Amino acid sequence: MKLWNQFSKSLALVAVIGAMGMTSIASAHEADCPYCKLKLVQNTKELDNEVVVKVGNKRIEYRCLYCVIKDQKRYKGDLVVYSPSEKVGAPVILKRTGGKWSAPEGAVFLNTFKKHKDCAALSRAFTNKAAFDSYIKKNPSEGAKALTLDQFLAEVAKN
């Protein structure tokens, strides 16, 4: 009986420590955007929202594509941005190499948010114009137009 009580206490301790570890892992993903300081918007089954920047071995999450571009001076050298697209699990990959930005051929961008709390839905990348049109049909936004990468960069620079 004494052995059983000791075993039960040990098992309970392992369960508590394990639960604490799982909690810190789960909450570690929920953070604030390094640029705007608003909470990151998590992916859903229907739509990816997480914007990820990779600089060397670092992986930094942002709330939207606008925040990445506004905060790019923070990083020296080359970087890669994984921007959510219309396809879950298939980001539009942007690269800054030697200070010059590039995007896949045909990619278009949206940047129409008025309040930053809406940026994750209204500052995005799409693999092509048809995907952009489909997204805007489901998520209407006043003044929405498909931007090239250069137009998107210029739009963000003036805000």
Side-chain angles (χ1 to χ4, degrees):
M1 186 66 147
K2 190 175 187 180
L3 183 61
W4 178 252
N5 283 341
Q6 190 171 1
F7 176 76
S8 296
K9 287 179 185 176
S10 297
L11 189 57
L13 181 61
V14 168
V16 168
I17 291 171
M20 286 173 30
M22 293 300 283
T23 301
S24 64
I25 289 170
S27 65
H29 188 67
E30 293 184 22
D32 295 338
C33 175
Y35 179 74
C36 71
K37 308 301 184 215
L38 295 174
K39 289 277 182 222
L40 298 174
V41 178
Q42 302 301 309
N43 292 341
T44 66
K45 288 180 182 177
E46 299 81 33
L47 194 63
D48 285 344
N49 291 301
E50 298 170 1
V51 182
V52 175
V53 174
K54 289 200 177 177
V55 181
N57 293 339
K58 283 185 152 182
R59 179 186 189 278
I60 306 105
E61 290 186 43
Y62 281 81
R63 184 173 171 88
C64 69
L65 198 49
Y66 174 94
C67 287
V68 169
I69 301 303
K70 287 303 263 189
D71 203 33
Q72 68 173 311
K73 291 178 183 147
R74 174 189 303 228
Y75 307 108
K76 305 295 180 220
D78 300 342
L79 56 91
V80 177
V81 178
Y82 296 85
S83 178
S85 74
E86 72 284 356
K87 298 176 188 173
V88 173
V92 171
I93 300 173
L94 307 172
K95 294 180 182 178
R96 186 185 73 188
T97 308
K100 181 158 174 52
W101 284 97
S102 65
E105 190 174 329
V108 296
F109 302 85
L110 170 66
N111 195 57
T112 60
F113 67 91
K114 303 287 187 264
K115 297 177 190 158
H116 207 88
K117 68 180 182 96
D118 300 326
C119 69
L122 299 174
S123 185
R124 302 183 66 87
F126 302 88
T127 56
N128 56 50
K129 174 79 164 63
F132 171 89
D133 291 339
S134 177
Y135 181 84
I136 293 302
K137 188 174 183 179
K138 292 177 192 169
N139 305 281
S141 177
E142 185 180 326
K145 61 182 179 180
L147 304 170
T148 65
L149 177 59
D150 287 339
Q151 290 170 327
F152 177 78
L153 294 171
E155 183 95 7
V156 171
K158 69 181 180 185
N159 290 334

